[in-house]
């Protein structure tokens, strides 16, 4: 092998090595930029225009009918919270009209949305229970004036809860606006954490 062939061979190797290095640097910087640009999922409730962070959440399945209670905690002491009740067989993957009462049925829960303030007092309590559910002397829980509620699967790994366009009257007769945006895990009550 003469000197010019040797130099040409070295030049090719150096060029290939440099090209591989430049490509790997470019890919690394692109993937790093993409990671930085991806927004983090934000879990929150907006009540009367005030945005409140959802610090944690938990759920409990009550029976074989998959009647389920969910609590989303808006304060670290867990006094301020949103309580949701639903039946997984009837309400998952289906947009619930919060302005409508549901048809009467046995064993399966109706939708329910409650809000407890920082003192732990339940000030908002609305549900889809039919009027026939209540005694004549009882005042039925109100439905929303507007709004929809949507759930996906409910488990410790991944849950989505979206309440959009909610307007509801509290126990004192005051109108409130309510939005829920939650996507993430929920702790199952009664299950030991790893």
């Amino acid at each position: 092998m003469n000197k010019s062939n040797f130099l040409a061979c070295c030049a090719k190797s150096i060029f290939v090595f440099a090209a591989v290095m430049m490509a790997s640097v470019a890919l690394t910087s692109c993937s790093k930029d993409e990671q930085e640009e991806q927004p983090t999922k934000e879990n929150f409730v907006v009540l009367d225009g005030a945005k409140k962070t959802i610090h944690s959440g938990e759920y409990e399945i009550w029976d074989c009918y998959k009647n389920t209670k969910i609590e989303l905690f808006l304060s670290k002491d867990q006094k301020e919270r949103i309580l949701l009740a639903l039946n997984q067989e009837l309400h998952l993957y289906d947009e619930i009209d919060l302005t409508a009462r549901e048809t009467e049925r046995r064993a399966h829960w109706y939708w329910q949305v409650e809000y407890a303030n920082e003192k732990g007092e339940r000030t908002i309590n609305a549900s889809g229970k039919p009027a026939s559910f209540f005694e004549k002397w009882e005042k039925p829980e109100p439905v929303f004036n507007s709004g929809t509620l949507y759930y996906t699967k409910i488990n410790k790994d991944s849950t989505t809860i979206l309440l959009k366009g909610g307007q509801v009257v509290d126990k004192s007769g005051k109108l409130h606006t309510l939005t829920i945006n939650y996507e993430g895990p929920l702790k199952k009550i009664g299950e030991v954490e790893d």
Side-chain angles (χ1 to χ4, degrees):
M1 178 185 274
N2 65 24
K3 193 174 181 181
S4 63
N5 283 345
F6 176 75
L7 290 175
C9 190
C10 285
K12 284 181 189 177
S13 297
I14 291 171
F15 177 76
V16 169
F17 178 72
V20 168
M21 288 298 291
M22 288 172 48
S24 68
V25 167
L27 287 173
T28 303
S29 66
C30 285
S31 63
K32 192 174 183 181
D33 290 344
E34 287 173 12
Q35 288 173 357
E36 290 173 4
E37 289 175 12
Q38 289 178 348
T40 55
K41 292 176 183 164
E42 190 178 9
N43 295 319
F44 59 88
V45 167
V46 180
L47 179 65
D48 297 332
K51 192 173 187 179
K52 300 169 181 277
T53 300
I54 298 171
H55 295 283
S56 63
E58 59 187 30
Y59 75 103
E60 183 174 13
I61 300 173
W62 281 69
D63 52 30
C64 64
Y65 297 105
K66 294 195 174 182
N67 291 317
T68 305
K69 178 184 87 168
I70 297 171
E71 288 190 284
L72 302 174
F73 300 110
L74 309 179
S75 61
K76 300 224 178 191
D77 65 5
Q78 299 186 346
K79 286 184 180 177
E80 187 178 17
R81 65 193 181 279
I82 297 284
L83 183 136
L84 304 163
L86 71 143
N87 178 270
Q88 291 192 44
E89 294 174 359
L90 299 174
H91 297 122
L92 289 187
Y93 304 103
D94 192 18
E95 194 169 72
I96 302 165
D97 179 3
L98 296 177
T99 66
R101 295 202 179 276
E102 298 186 273
T103 57
E104 193 170 341
R105 56 181 176 261
R106 293 178 180 227
H108 295 87
W109 284 1
Y110 305 97
W111 66 260
Q112 187 160 359
V113 178
E114 294 183 4
Y115 166 74
N117 63 22
E118 53 282 337
K119 296 176 185 175
E121 303 164 336
R122 291 186 181 179
T123 58
I124 296 172
N125 183 11
S127 90
K129 294 174 188 169
S132 60
F133 187 85
F134 301 93
E135 298 294 332
K136 290 180 182 178
W137 50 269
E138 285 183 295
K139 184 178 179 184
E141 295 162 350
V143 293
F144 277 61
N145 292 354
S146 67
T148 59
L149 181 57
Y150 178 79
Y151 297 96
T152 63
K153 62 187 174 186
I154 296 168
N155 62 44
K156 63 181 182 177
D157 300 318
S158 177
T159 300
T160 300
I161 303 167
L162 297 172
L163 192 155
K164 296 179 184 177
Q167 287 191 350
V168 62
V169 176
D170 70 10
K171 290 181 177 182
S172 67
K174 182 180 176 187
L175 181 68
H176 296 278
T177 58
L178 179 63
T179 300
I180 300 173
N181 185 14
Y182 184 84
E183 187 176 350
L186 291 174
K187 179 185 171 190
K188 186 173 183 180
I189 295 175
E191 192 169 73
V192 179
E193 290 188 24
D194 296 335

